[in-house]
Structure formats: structure tokens, C-alpha cells
């Protein structure tokens, strides 16, 4: 060690400094280096001989060396040294050109009357790097658009970032100390997911799940939550980091596509599918009204789907021509590009529709063309906005997601229409066939006309012999000739169908004399010999006539009876006409006997109500009971409900049975309440006839007041047919009952002619899947698809879905996996009298069924 250092430094101090793990540098009053220990040599990567006696600036980064002495002098001016006695982080440059961060502490020392300085230098490169990492991580957490929450080991919130507050609408002060479950709340399934999150965190596993959450405004949002535990040195949970992403929009788009495809695959009609799409979009984006149009063969638009768009506007917009001068829907249809109307109030293209449109609060509109895979513009998807701004990006995303669905629905509909044309019309004559007649009989029966509707069935006599003798080609020529003759005979209001190989059916209307005259004309016309090649063949036909409603109140019965009369004419020698006689049908006599006995049973109070339990699919808890009418006659024995309910509807006795059922069910519910038997709901079936009686709500109100049961303990079940029958009147009646608090259930869903738009319009809170769908549920994929679609449709409309006819565990399990709400069937119990039901309920243990 140099002598001058030894002379100026106590001998006892230097060995200690040499052994220090910190780099030690001593400088004299001239800033020359007088001591440089081994730790300093390692830090600067040089030998002490390289620096001893040199100015301390040799240890300073090259960029600062020229000004270093001036900086030191300025710090010492005025007798106050602003560096000595401080500690600061500085960047140091080694002799090999590399740099590192160090902590520099400078002390003033006086030895032998001379003033010097001691610098202690510690390498803090790793600390600086760690601090930078922490700073960057903090920046990421603070500025990311993902919500971040940090929880303590008890799952209470101790930190949230700005994005978390933006996502949920809560400030840090509002959520700190709260459990995360205060925000991630939903139904029982969501609570189960929260429990799984907690359990996974405790078991040192990360966990990601999609879950419903609640915004500060009260609306539901969907988030993707990723939870990862952070452990201390002992392996215990120190914190839990939760990263949350708003997936509400994507969840909506995914569910829209999934549910719509299920609706399409369940064979719903085009209008129902389009209505479904419109309703879902409007539920997601409340400020818009949505409508879907198809382009007709007359180049005019026809509305095939809507939700809240008023019927007055639908009528106004319907049949609007397409073209460049039309409102935006017509422009999009003709150009195949998106068209906008940003200011309907001043847009001249809306002049004929402006006042009505503005009256209903519509100010702007955007129309998007629906283009099929063959590049044909098939229709238009139009969004009408209630605000002064055009529908926003969220609406356009929903529209874009729906365009493919609309394309699938339209192409499927057109394919079905084409197949229907092929399958519903006879290729030889061009006439509708028997399939078409069966499908359209209900519509034909409702068609207004003068007098009674009648079916005249024409069967060629001995046609088989003609076919055998002259061949099928000749037979086809003969059938074509007869069809042309019949076309010339019937009037424009009549419908002619080829209902069999040698058989035609005419749907006509008028007095009975009209049928006689028409039949006589047909018989006379067909008497003329037909020329087949060189042979003239004499023809004759047998005719049967059935009159509505005397000979049948539905299309199937009427068709069967007209054919029976025609066969009676053949049996009598042919070439004549027979009217259907009741003597041909023994069932009519049976019906009269049954109707009389039923009338006595109602009068003598011989009917009874049985109660079939309904249970929650997952928990097995009792959801309610369905009240079912049963009748055992002293002479006829047990009469099935299907049999006597049909007779009751035909004879008008169904109204008395319905009111009797309501009264007995309410009285029984009152008794259960008094006795502490916890039956939540009793359901009673009513027919379409009850909803023609405007006093029904008053009857129910008086009955509830009389028995004292809460309205929500009673549910009234209506069928799809009831919904279709007098729809406006039905919805008014149902709305009145719902306002009273009475539950309304759509019974036997999927067996009638239901319309999704009508279903959504009815304020029903429950939907029942008909028992017929349970057949094949376990083995037939299409049956499962239909049931799944029904469950999703019902739940998407806010209804509780009840599956009837559940008979065994495999059906129960499949329905539970589909998230069906409630089950009913023989697996749990057959319908029971009230006293036996009480015993069943007392002994019922869901766990014994594996629930």
C-alpha cells in the first residue's frame, strides 16, 4: 500500500476497510484516490495500481468526467456540502466499458489535519432491475383494460385497479374489505362456480371460468374470471390474484348463435326464427327496434320478423318497393350494400312514412342486406334507433352475427318450401295431393264462405280393371282427363285435390242442395265415354259427401266420413252419390251415451281431482302439483280423461268441469295451507272455451278471495291451441290473470301450431314440454335436440320449463343435464287423490331417488 496513505490514515482502520464487502474508495482534498480496496477492484474490474494517485474522475462515467471536478467544487462552495452525508443511487461505468447501478455513500474524514473523503459503493443492479420490474408491473396492472383484484387469504378484496372499477361501476372504497362473491352473484349454479373457485385457490390450482356478475347499476354482466393463488415461504396462501375480462357482448353473440341454430334445427317456422332473433337483439340493445324483411317476387319487402316494432309501422313498411329512392331498407335491398338514414326527420325518402315513424320515437335507421350463398340478396336486416344517433357498434356486431343465421334460416325455409311443393302436389295432374289436404284442412275449415263447408270425394269405378287391361300409361291419361273435367265443373271458390290413385276430393261451400247439384253435374259429365287409343271406354264414378260440422268437427273426421260415404256409394253399385249418415259411425252413438253420463256426473259431483307431484330437476324439492280430473262411472267404469274431456269439449260441458276443477283445487290448497302441508303451487288445466268467457278473471278473483289462498299458489295451464284461438282476446285474459298474481303455464308445448312471436307475447311464466317428447329421449338424437331447444327457448323467454312424462332415471339425468327446471311423471308418482298425496309427500325423500 502507498506510503502517503499510511501516513494519513490510522493503521488500525485500513485492514478493516480492506476486508469490507463494500467497495471503499478514499480521496484527498485534491480529489486524488488514496485507497482502493479489493471489493472496489472487483466492482470496477481493475487493479488498484490502475487508479491509485489518480483523480477520482477516472471512476466516473466518461460522459461526466470533463465536468466532474466543477460539480464537486460547486457542491463544496459556501461551506455546505450537499453530497457528503447522503446516500444516492448512481450509474457506474467499469473499466471494461460495462455499467452497473450502485448505491454511493460519501463521508468526510479528517486525518492529520487534512480533509479527505471516503466513498462506500454497493452494487444494486439487481435491486434496480427488480424495482423497474415492479414499476412496469404496476404500470401494467394500473393501465390494463382487464379488471384486476387482489384478495387476502379470506378472499376479501384488498386492491382493485381502474379497469375493475370501470367494469363493475364500484370504486376502490366501495369494494375494499368485501368478498368477491358480493359482485360475482347469480343463480345456484353460479354459487357453485364460486365455491369451485375458492376450492381451486386453496388447492394451489389456477382456475378460469365464465360467470355472471352484477354491475353497480343492477344489470347483469358476464365476465371471464381467472384466479391464481400467491404463496408465502411456508406454503400458505398469501394473496389471490383475480383477473376479470368483460365477455358480456361475446357471451350474448355466442348464445344468440347457439340458441338460434337450435331454434332452426327444431323445425320452427321462418317467422318464428326471425322473431326470436329480433327479440334477443332488442333485449341486449334496448334503444333499437329490429325488423327483418324478405324481397318478394313483386320486388317489394315483406316483414318476416320483428319484436317491439309497432304493428302500425309494420303495416306501413310492409310491401314498400325496393329502389334507390326508397327508405334505407329498399336501398339496401336493391344495392346489396349497407344503407343508412341518419336523419329521418329531414330525409326526403321517408316522406310517405315520416310522421308515423317519428310518432313512434324512431329517428334513425340502418339497413343491412341479407345475401345468400348464391350471391342473391334475399332480404334486409333493419335496425331502427330511438335516439338521434345511428345504432352503435354493438348493434352492428349483433347484426353481423345474425346475418349468417338469417341466411341459414332462409335457405332452410326455401328448401323446405321446394320439397313441400314436390311432396304436396301431384306430378300428373298438377293438383294438390292428399298430404296437402290433410295439412290444410284446418285452414280450409276456418275459411269464410256462404253456407256449410262440404267435402265431395269422387272415386272412379272399376279403375283397377282399366289399368290392368290397358296399362298404366292409359290409366294416367284417363286420370288427367278426369282432373281437367272436374276443373271445368267446379267454381273458382272451390278446391280440387287428387286425394288418391283414382280418387279426387272437392272442398266446396253452400247449402246441401249445392252439393247435390254439383254431384249430379259430375256424374253426368263423367258418363261420356273416354277414348283410349282406338277403344271407347264407358266411365262412372261414386261420390261421397260430408258436411261440416254435422259430419265432423275436424278435418280428419270430415275426410274419413266423406270417403265412407263414397265407399257406401260404390257398395251400392257405383255411379251414384251418397251423403254421410251417422249410422255409418258407431262412435257417434257411443259419444251420445258418454255425454249423457258425463252430464249426470257433473251434476252429482262424481268427478274427482287427483294430484301429480312436480319436482325440481336438480334438488328434487317439491315444485308443485298438477290437478287432474278423474271419473269412474257406476256403469261405464273408469273413463279415461282423453275420452271424457274430448266429449266435454264437443258438448260444451268443459266449462263446468274447468270451474269445478278450479274451485276444488283452491279449496284443497287452502286445506293444505291450514294443515301445514307445504305444497307451493297447484296447477289447473283450462280449455280454449274458458278464455272465451270474459267473466273468467272475476270468477278466479272471487274464488281466491273466498278460499283465502295467495294468488301465486295457483297456476292456470293453457294449451297452444288456446293461444292460437282468438289471440288478442286470449292475451288480454291472460294479462289480467297475471296482474292478479296467478301463474300461467303453456301446456303441451311442441304439439300444436305455436308461434314463437305469440308465445313471447303471452305473459306466461311456465312452459310444459309434452310427454310425447320423452319417447326416444335417451336414444334418438333429434328428440334430444328438440327437447334441448325447447328448454333453451323457454328459459330465454324467462319461463320455468316443466318436462312431463318422466318415467325413469336416465330421462331425469338427461333433462337435468339440459338444465330443465322441473320434472313431472311416474318416476316420482302417478296422480294421487288428495289423502294419498299427503301420505306420499310425508314419506317423500329426494335423496332416495339419487337427487
Amino acid at each position: 500500500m502507498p506510503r502517503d496513505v499510511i501516513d494519513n490514515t490510522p493503521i488500525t482502520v485500513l485492514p478493516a476497510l480492506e476486508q469490507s464487502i463494500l467497495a471503499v474508495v478514499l480521496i484527498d482534498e485534491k480529489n486524488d484516490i488514496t485507497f482502493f480496496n479489493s471489493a472496489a477492484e472487483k466492482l470496477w474490474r481493475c487493479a488498484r495500481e490502475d487508479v491509485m494517485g489518480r483523480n477520482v474522475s477516472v471512476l466516473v462515467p466518461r460522459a461526466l468526467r470533463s465536468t466532474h471536478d466543477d460539480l464537486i467544487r460547486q457542491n463544496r462552495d459556501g461551506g455546505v456540502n450537499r453530497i457528503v452525508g447522503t446516500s444516492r443511487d448512481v450509474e457506474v461505468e467499469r473499466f471494461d466499458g460495462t455499467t452497473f447501478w450502485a448505491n454511493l455513500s460519501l463521508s468526510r474524514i479528517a486525518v492529520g489535519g487534512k480533509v479527505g473523503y471516503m466513498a462506500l459503493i454497493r452494487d444494486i443492479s439487481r435491486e434496480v432491475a427488480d424495482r423497474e420490474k415492479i414499476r412496469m408491473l404496476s404500470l401494467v396492472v394500473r393501465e390494463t383494460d382487464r379488471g384486476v383484484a387482489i384478495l387476502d387469504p379470506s378472499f376479501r378484496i384488498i386492491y382493485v385497479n381502474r379497469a375493475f372499477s370501470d367494469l363493475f361501476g364500484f370504486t376502490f372504497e366501495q369494494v375494499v374489505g368485501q368478498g368477491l362473491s358480493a359482485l360475482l352473484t347469480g343463480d345456484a349454479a353460479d354459487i357453485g362456480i364460486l365455491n369451485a373457485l375458492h376450492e381451486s385457490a386453496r388447492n394451489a390450482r389456477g382456475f378460469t371460468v365464465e360467470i355472471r356478475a352484477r354491475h353497480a347499476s343492477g344489470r347483469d354482466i358476464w365476465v371471464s374470471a381467472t384466479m391464481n393463488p400467491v404463496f408465502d415461504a411456508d406454503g400458505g396462501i398469501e394473496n389471490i390474484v383475480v383477473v376479470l375480462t368483460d365477455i358480456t357482448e361475446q357471451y350474448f353473440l355466442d348464445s344468440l348463435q347457439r340458441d338460434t341454430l337450435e331454434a332452426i334445427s327444431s323445425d320452427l317456422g321462418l317467422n318464428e326464427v326471425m322473431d326470436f332473433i329480433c327479440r334477443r337483439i332488442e333485449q341486449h340493445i334496448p334503444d333499437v327496434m329490429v325488423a327483418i324483411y324478405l324481397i318478394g317476387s313483386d320486388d317489394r319487402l315483406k316483414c318476416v320478423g320483428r319484436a317491439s316494432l309497432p304493428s302500425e309501422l309494420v303495416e306501413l313498411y310492409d310491401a314498400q318497393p325496393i329502389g334507390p329512392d326508397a327508405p334505407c331498407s329498399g336501398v339496401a335491398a336493391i344495392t346489396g350494400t349497407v344503407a343508412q338514414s341518419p336523419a329521418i326527420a329531414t330525409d326526403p325518402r321517408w316522406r310517405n312514412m315520416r310522421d308515423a315513424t317519428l310518432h313512434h320515437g324512431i329517428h334513425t335507421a340502418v339497413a343491412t342486406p341479407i345475401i345468400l350463398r348464391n350471391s342473391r340478396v334475399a332480404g334486409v336486416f333493419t335496425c331502427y334507433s330511438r335516439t338521434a344517433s345511428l345504432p352503435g357498434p354493438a348493434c352492428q356486431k349483433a347484426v353481423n352475427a345474425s346475418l349468417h343465421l338469417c341466411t341459414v334460416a332462409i335457405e332452410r325455409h326455401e328448401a323446405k318450401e321446394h320439397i313441400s311443393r314436390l311432396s304436396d302436389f301431384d306430378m300428373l295432374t298438377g293438383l294438390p295431393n292428399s298430404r296437402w289436404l290433410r295439412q290444410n284442412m284446418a285452414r280450409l275449415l276456418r275459411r269464410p264462405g256462404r253456407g256449410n263447408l262440404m267435402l265431395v270425394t269422387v272415386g272412379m269405378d272399376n279403375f283397377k280393371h282399366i289399368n290392368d287391361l290397358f296399362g298404366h300409361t292409359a290409366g294416367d291419361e284417363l286420370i288427367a282427363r278426369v282432373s281437367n273435367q272436374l276443373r271445368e265443373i267446379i267454381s273458382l271458390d272451390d278446391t280440387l285435390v287428387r286425394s288418391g290413385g283414382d280418387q279426387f276430393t272437392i272442398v266446396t261451400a253452400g247449402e246441401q242442395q249445392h252439393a247435390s247439384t254439383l254431384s249430379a253435374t259430375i256424374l253426368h259429365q263423367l258418363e261420356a265415354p273416354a277414348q283410349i287409343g282406338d277403344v271407347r271406354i264407358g266411365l262412372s264414378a261414386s261420390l261421397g259427401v260430408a258436411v261440416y260440422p254435422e259430419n265432423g268437427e275436424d278435418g280428419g273426421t270430415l275426410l274419413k266420413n266423406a270417403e265412407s260415404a263414397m265407399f257406401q256409394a260404390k257398395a251400392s253399385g257405383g255411379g251414384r252419390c251418397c251423403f254421410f249418415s251417422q249410422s255409418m259411425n258407431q262412435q257417434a252413438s257411443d259419444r251420445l251415451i258418454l255425454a249423457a253420463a258425463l252430464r249426470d256426473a257433473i251434476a252429482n259431483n262424481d268427478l274427482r281431482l287427483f294430484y301429480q307431484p312436480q319436482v325440481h330437476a336438480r334438488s328434487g324439492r317439491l315444485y308443485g302439483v298438477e290437478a287432474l280430473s278423474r271419473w269412474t262411472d257406476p256403469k261405464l267404469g273408469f273413463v279415461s280423461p282423453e275420452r271424457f274431456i274430448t266429449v266435454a269439449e264437443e258438448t260444451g260441458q268443459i266449462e263446468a268441469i274447468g270451474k269445478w276443477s278450479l274451485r276444488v283445487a283452491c279449496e284443497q290448497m287452502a286445506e293444505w295451507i291450514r294443515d301445514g302441508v307445504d305444497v307451493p303451487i297447484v296447477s289447473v288445466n283450462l280449455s280454449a272455451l274458458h278464455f272465451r268467457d270474459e267473466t273468467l278473471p272475476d270468477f278466479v278473483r272471487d274464488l281466491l278471495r273466498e278460499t283465502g289462498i295467495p294468488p301465486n299458489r295457483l297456476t292456470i295451464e293453457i294449451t297452444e291451441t288456446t293461444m292460437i284461438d282468438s289471440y288478442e282476446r286470449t292475451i288480454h285474459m291472460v294479462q289480467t290473470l297475471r296482474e292478479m298474481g296467478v301463474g300461467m303455464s303453456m301446456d303441451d308445448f311442441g304439439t300444436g301450431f305455436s308461434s314463437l312471436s305469440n308465445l313471447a307475447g303471452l305473459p306466461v311464466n311456465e312452459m310444459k314440454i309434452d310427454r310425447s317428447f320423452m319417447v326416444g329421449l335417451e336414444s334418438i338424437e333429434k328428440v334430444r335436440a328438440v327437447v334441448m331447444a325447447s328448454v333453451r327457448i323457454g328459459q330465454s323467454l324467462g319461463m320455468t320449463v316443466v318436462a312431463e312424462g318422466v318415467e325413469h332415471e336416465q330421462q331425469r339425468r338427461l333433462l337435468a343435464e339440459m338444465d330443465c327446471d322441473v320434472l313431472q311423471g311416474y318416476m316420482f308418482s302417478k296422480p294421487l287423490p288428495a289423502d294419498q298425496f299427503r301420505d306420499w309427500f310425508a314419506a317423500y325423500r329426494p335423496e332416495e331417488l339419487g337427487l
Side-chain angles (χ1 to χ4, degrees):
M1 184 171 293
R3 186 74 213 172
D4 55 343
V5 174
I6 297 173
D7 289 343
N8 292 303
T9 307
I11 297 299
T12 57
V13 174
L14 293 178
L17 296 180
E18 180 63 33
Q19 298 299 320
S20 173
I21 62 173
L22 299 179
V24 180
V25 180
L26 299 182
I27 59 176
D28 59 17
E29 70 279 3
K30 294 184 293 184
N31 295 331
D32 291 337
I33 299 171
T34 61
F35 181 76
F36 198 77
N37 71 349
S38 60
E41 288 180 310
K42 293 178 181 177
L43 206 58
W44 265 274
R45 296 177 183 172
C46 67
R48 65 188 70 190
E49 290 79 9
D50 296 332
V51 299
M52 292 295 295
R54 299 177 65 181
N55 188 282
V56 73
S57 62
V58 72
L59 302 180
V60 175
R62 291 181 179 86
L64 300 177
R65 289 177 184 175
S66 61
T67 59
H68 183 256
D69 284 346
D70 291 338
L71 289 173
I72 292 178
R73 190 164 42 254
Q74 291 171 11
N75 270 284
R76 296 175 182 175
D77 286 348
V80 178
N81 196 313
R82 291 186 292 272
I83 299 177
V84 174
T86 65
S87 176
R88 63 178 57 191
D89 297 341
V90 297
E91 189 174 25
V92 178
E93 183 179 348
R94 297 187 180 94
F95 272 51
D96 61 6
T98 60
T99 60
F100 64 95
W101 279 92
N103 179 262
L104 170 66
S105 299
L106 192 64
S107 301
R108 184 173 181 273
I109 57 177
V111 179
K114 295 182 179 181
V115 176
Y117 297 90
M118 179 173 66
L120 301 179
I121 302 94
R122 179 170 60 88
D123 187 348
I124 60 169
S125 297
R126 179 170 296 179
E127 296 175 26
V128 170
D130 290 342
R131 286 203 301 266
E132 180 63 14
K133 288 180 182 178
I134 293 172
R135 187 186 74 82
M136 295 300 293
L137 287 173
S138 299
L139 184 64
V140 170
V141 171
R142 189 170 60 250
E143 299 301 328
T144 182
D145 60 355
R146 305 288 180 90
V148 177
I150 300 178
L151 315 179
D152 65 14
S154 298
F155 293 89
R156 290 188 297 268
I157 297 172
I158 60 175
Y159 170 81
V160 295
N161 67 347
R162 174 188 53 78
F164 182 99
S165 297
D166 293 342
L167 176 59
F168 292 102
F170 293 104
T171 64
F172 170 75
E173 291 74 18
Q174 289 174 310
V175 298
V176 65
Q178 299 290 323
L180 189 64
S181 58
L183 298 175
L184 303 184
T185 55
D187 58 20
D190 296 331
I191 294 173
I193 292 174
L194 281 173
N195 292 335
L197 279 169
H198 290 181
E199 189 62 30
S200 295
R202 293 190 183 97
N203 293 334
R205 296 196 308 268
F207 193 89
T208 300
V209 70
E210 294 179 0
I211 189 170
R212 181 165 38 199
R214 184 62 53 85
H215 190 270
S217 64
R219 63 183 174 87
D220 284 346
I221 59 175
W222 280 88
V223 297
S224 173
T226 300
M227 180 178 287
N228 287 290
V230 179
F231 300 96
D232 58 23
D234 297 326
I237 293 181
E238 185 172 5
N239 293 109
I240 301 101
V241 178
V242 184
V243 179
L244 301 127
T245 306
D246 186 354
I247 59 169
T248 304
E249 185 171 66
Q250 190 58 49
Y251 183 86
F252 162 73
L253 295 177
D254 291 344
S255 64
L256 172 66
Q257 295 202 49
R258 180 187 64 247
D259 295 345
T260 304
L261 288 173
E262 288 184 358
I264 293 172
S265 66
S266 65
D267 269 346
L268 290 176
L270 180 64
N271 291 74
E272 284 81 3
V273 172
M274 297 306 195
D275 287 345
F276 182 78
I277 294 173
C278 294
R279 279 195 305 276
R280 289 294 292 272
I281 292 178
E282 289 191 12
Q283 289 171 2
H284 183 64
I285 309 171
D287 289 335
V288 302
M289 291 186 242
V290 182
I292 301 173
Y293 303 92
L294 289 186
I295 303 173
S297 57
D298 58 354
D299 283 340
R300 292 178 177 271
L301 297 179
K302 177 67 177 176
C303 182
V304 294
R306 69 181 179 101
S308 63
L309 189 67
S311 56
E312 176 188 342
L313 292 184
V314 174
E315 294 176 4
L316 184 63
Y317 297 165
D318 240 6
Q320 60 175 296
I322 67 175
D325 297 325
C328 57
S329 298
V331 174
I334 194 67
T335 63
T337 59
V338 176
Q340 299 180 346
S341 293
I344 291 175
T346 58
D347 192 334
R349 296 176 300 180
W350 287 80
R351 55 185 174 274
N352 296 327
M353 309 181 208
R354 180 182 298 117
D355 292 343
T357 301
L358 297 175
H359 174 73
H360 286 284
I362 295 175
H363 300 284
T364 68
V366 175
T368 305
I370 302 172
I371 303 175
L372 303 186
R373 285 177 293 182
N374 61 6
S375 300
R376 174 170 63 91
V377 178
V380 180
F381 201 117
T382 305
C383 295
Y384 304 95
S385 175
R386 294 184 175 94
T387 69
S389 302
L390 289 167
C395 181
Q396 194 56 48
K397 286 183 180 179
V399 171
N400 291 341
S402 301
L403 290 176
H404 171 66
L405 301 173
C406 292
T407 298
V408 172
I410 292 170
E411 291 179 342
R412 183 183 179 93
H413 171 74
E414 291 182 347
K416 288 175 64 178
E417 288 280 296
H418 179 67
I419 293 171
S420 177
R421 283 192 295 271
L422 294 177
S423 59
D424 288 349
F425 287 84
D426 174 50
M427 299 299 291
L428 175 62
T429 63
L431 295 174
N433 58 23
S434 58
R435 180 179 183 275
W436 180 94
L437 183 59
R438 287 193 302 273
Q439 291 180 339
N440 287 273
M441 272 305 301
R443 178 182 60 82
L444 293 171
L445 290 175
R446 293 194 301 268
R447 186 178 66 183
R450 60 189 187 282
N452 296 322
L453 184 138
M454 294 173 282
L455 296 188
V456 179
T457 297
V458 181
M460 304 302 299
D461 295 333
N462 302 315
F463 183 75
K464 183 178 183 301
H465 298 312
I466 297 174
N467 256 342
D468 292 342
L469 185 60
F470 296 100
H472 288 282
T473 301
D476 287 346
E477 291 179 5
L478 184 59
I479 290 296
R481 177 178 179 274
V482 171
S483 70
N484 291 332
Q485 288 177 301
L486 293 176
R487 280 192 180 98
E488 294 175 356
I489 295 171
I490 64 175
S491 69
L492 293 176
D493 294 330
D494 294 341
T495 300
L496 177 63
V497 176
R498 186 183 180 189
S499 51
D502 61 349
Q503 184 176 304
F504 298 87
T505 297
I506 300 168
V507 183
T508 187
E511 303 301 326
Q512 182 171 324
Q513 183 58 41
H514 167 67
S516 300
T517 303
L518 177 61
S519 299
T521 302
I522 293 172
L523 290 172
H524 176 72
Q525 189 72 21
L526 295 182
E527 285 179 352
Q531 188 77 30
I532 299 180
D534 297 330
V535 181
R536 290 171 63 85
I537 300 174
L539 297 177
S540 68
S542 297
L543 279 63
V545 180
V547 181
Y548 174 82
E550 291 87 343
N551 301 145
E553 296 188 356
D554 61 85
T557 303
L558 208 60
L559 279 166
K560 182 187 68 175
N561 291 341
E563 288 184 351
S564 296
M566 184 266 294
F567 288 127
Q568 181 66 28
K570 283 181 177 290
S572 300
R576 65 185 65 194
C577 173
C578 283
F579 280 77
F580 177 77
S581 170
Q582 289 291 346
S583 61
M584 297 179 184
N585 193 341
Q586 184 60 40
Q587 292 181 1
S589 176
D590 294 343
R591 188 176 291 109
L592 291 174
I593 297 172
L594 194 63
L598 179 59
R599 189 175 293 107
D600 292 339
I602 296 172
N604 298 329
N605 201 28
D606 287 339
L607 297 179
R608 296 184 67 190
L609 276 189
F610 281 37
Y611 302 90
Q612 186 171 32
Q614 302 166 322
V615 303
H616 290 276
R618 292 195 178 274
S619 68
R621 291 183 297 105
L622 186 69
Y623 169 81
V625 295
E626 180 180 6
L628 300 165
S629 301
R630 293 293 184 264
W631 176 30
T632 300
D633 184 81
K635 295 181 179 179
L636 301 175
F638 175 76
V639 183
S640 70
E642 291 81 7
R643 190 177 174 200
F644 76 79
I645 291 297
T646 301
V647 172
E649 289 177 339
E650 292 175 353
T651 58
Q653 299 178 78
I654 192 65
E655 292 185 77
I657 293 177
K659 289 187 175 181
W660 169 84
S661 299
L662 278 171
R663 178 173 296 280
V664 173
C666 288
E667 290 172 350
Q668 183 61 62
M669 175 60 80
E671 180 181 332
W672 282 331
I673 293 173
R674 287 194 303 270
D675 295 346
V677 181
D678 189 17
V679 178
I681 296 170
V682 61
S683 300
V684 180
N685 288 278
L686 293 184
S687 76
L689 292 176
H690 293 96
F691 287 86
R692 297 175 186 173
D693 180 7
E694 295 183 355
T695 67
L696 175 64
D698 292 334
F699 175 83
V700 174
R701 185 181 292 106
D702 293 341
L703 185 57
L704 293 172
R705 188 182 302 114
E706 177 183 332
T707 57
I709 74 169
N712 63 356
R713 303 291 284 269
L714 172 66
T715 289
I716 294 176
E717 296 186 9
I718 61 175
T719 63
E720 294 186 7
T721 305
T722 304
M723 181 182 71
I724 297 168
D725 184 29
S726 302
Y727 176 75
E728 297 296 333
R729 179 174 56 196
T730 300
I731 195 170
H732 172 72
M733 301 273 280
V734 172
Q735 183 68 53
T736 303
L737 290 167
R738 286 292 292 137
E739 289 172 356
M740 291 165 50
V742 175
M744 296 300 302
S745 177
M746 175 62 64
D747 193 19
D748 298 340
F749 179 78
T751 62
F753 302 90
S754 63
S755 161
L756 270 183
S757 58
N758 288 347
L759 179 62
L762 279 175
V764 297
N765 59 294
E766 182 182 281
M767 186 183 82
K768 301 188 75 174
I769 300 175
D770 185 68
R771 67 183 67 249
S772 62
F773 289 100
M774 295 304 105
V775 179
L777 179 66
E778 314 93 287
S779 58
I780 303 176
E781 185 176 347
K782 288 186 177 180
V783 173
R784 287 197 298 274
V786 171
V787 173
M788 172 68 83
S790 299
V791 171
R792 290 285 172 81
I793 290 168
Q795 291 177 344
S796 71
L797 296 175
M799 301 180 192
T800 298
V801 180
V802 180
E804 297 182 297
V806 180
E807 296 186 357
H808 49 74
E809 170 60 20
Q810 191 174 2
Q811 291 174 337
R812 184 207 68 79
R813 181 179 56 78
L814 286 171
L815 289 165
E817 290 174 354
M818 295 178 189
D819 287 328
C820 184
D821 302 302
V822 178
L823 310 179
Q824 176 181 348
Y826 276 48
M827 174 180 175
F828 308 100
S829 174
K830 65 181 180 180
L832 300 169
D835 54 346
Q836 293 182 26
F837 169 78
R838 185 184 292 230
D839 295 338
W840 174 89
F841 190 32
Y844 176 60
R845 299 291 183 272
E847 58 272 15
E848 295 178 2
L849 295 174
L851 300 174

